[in-house]
Amino acid sequence: MASSMKFTDCSPSAIVRLVPSTRTRLRSSDSAVLFHRVLGRSCPAYPRTFVSRSSISTLPVISASISTEATAQVIDGKLVAKQIREEITAEVSRMKDAIGVVPGLAVILVGDRKDSATYVRNKKKACESVGIKSFEVNLPENATEQEVLKHISDFNDDPSVHGILVQLPLPKHMNEQNVLHAVSIEKDVDGFHPLNIGRLAMRGEEPLFVPCTPKGCIELLHRYNISIKGKRAVVIGRSNIVGTPAALLLQREDATVSVVHSRTKDPEELTRQADIIISAVGKANMVEGSWIKPGAVIIDVGINPVEDASSPRGYRLVGDVCYEEASKIASAITPVPGGVGPMTIAMLLSNTLTAAKRTHNFQ
Ligand SMILES: Nc1nc(=O)c2c([nH]1)NC[C@@H]1CN(c3ccc(C(=O)N[C@@H](CCC(=O)O)C(=O)O)cc3)C=[N+]21
């Protein structure tokens, strides 16, 4: 199916936002408003760039009245995730009607990290919203690795469980590798089992599951008709759960991929060559406007809390990319929140559905 058809039941306003030709050029009055808002925010990189821009604008040919800047198309992960949940709901119900099987996801949470508890709660809610059954195990911080392994083994043997997710990070006294190896590869909906990652890396091999966050990034590019083949892509960050699989996926999609990491010399110069940037570092506003090639597409995986006295929680979430700067240079960009985050959960549901379909040989 053509990806554009997937939006047929979106509201007209949503479609307007999704069509690339609607990229707007700000009038100078809008631009002034935007500037005002930007300065009221705390993108730390902004003032520096602002200074250099203002010096450019003193050149005689550039006057304030023509300081119209393009704004990037917003890649609306929240909207796409909702669309995907609707598709999954329909498939879950079709499977239930046809063979009486309801997909099941088991989540194991160890310890009492607040962020992990929130993510797990959101995953449970998402399961409910599409008709997937969820099972949850909560273990205390001081639980043993053996206890976790026992629960994994029970879920491996339980036919009503099709997917198993062990929420990361685990407490320090546990060996993450032992735990991730224990999940049956057929139920590894996170795609973290080394066999799944290995297959992802090899041409001619197919992983049973692809890690949810990188899969969500690629899905966003597909659904926005952003072509990957032959493009220069830079992935910032080389974690096992995001950066590395994201680079492998981009390569499978025929991009030419570079990975920027903490030991990279001149990451800015390398990143500036990219047509597509996926940033998964976890450092607020690290990628500044000067890192970005005009017209590049930016997928920002970072979810970083920054202090914000004006927010009820005392903080707000920002990405790895300085959004205010980037949105004037890039052609398309994901916001934080509302970008990759919701897609991660949608892909988890999708992987769980795939697991159930595969087990029961249901197409
Ligand atoms: N085994 C395992 N699998 C994971 O997939 C996994 C994990 N461990 N550990 C932690 C990370 C993080 N993660 C997120 C999921 C959803 C949002 C999300 O929905 N964020 C929203 C809301 C953010 C908010 O307001 O709190 C957004 O970006 O719009 C974010 C982050 C999954 N992870």
Side-chain angles (χ1 to χ4, degrees), residues 17 74-81 220 224 300 302-303 317 323 333-343:
R17 267 182 291 150
V74 176
I75 300 178
D76 188 341
K78 200 170 165 187
L79 181 74
V80 176
L220 281 176
Y224 274 79
D300 190 350
I303 302 183
L317 299 173
Y323 187 88
I333 183 167
T334 59
V336 177
V340 176
M343 289 297 289

Side-chain angles (χ1 to χ4, degrees), residues 119 123 165-168 190 192 303 317 337-338 341-342 344-345:
Y119 291 140
K123 286 167 187 173
L165 178 148
V166 183
Q167 185 70 20
L168 301 177
D190 253 338
F192 293 165
I303 302 183
L317 299 173
T344 297
I345 298 190

Side-chain angles (χ1 to χ4, degrees), residues 9-27:
D9 58 353
C10 286
S11 67
S13 63
I15 290 170
V16 164
R17 267 182 291 150
L18 292 168
V19 173
S21 62
T22 60
R23 252 175 247 157
T24 50
R25 293 205 153 254
L26 291 175
R27 289 174 319 222

Side-chain angles (χ1 to χ4, degrees), residues 77-78 107-108 113 115-116 118-120 122-123 164-169 180 189-190 192 211-213 241-242 300-303 313 315 317 335-346 348:
K78 200 170 165 187
V107 179
I108 300 175
R113 277 178 66 117
D115 58 341
S116 292
T118 305
Y119 291 140
V120 169
N122 290 345
K123 286 167 187 173
I164 303 170
L165 178 148
V166 183
Q167 185 70 20
L168 301 177
L180 296 183
V189 285
D190 253 338
F192 293 165
C212 302
T213 300
I241 65 174
V242 187
D300 190 350
V301 181
I303 302 183
R313 297 188 284 191
Y315 70 92
L317 299 173
V336 177
V340 176
M343 289 297 289
T344 297
I345 298 190
L348 175 66

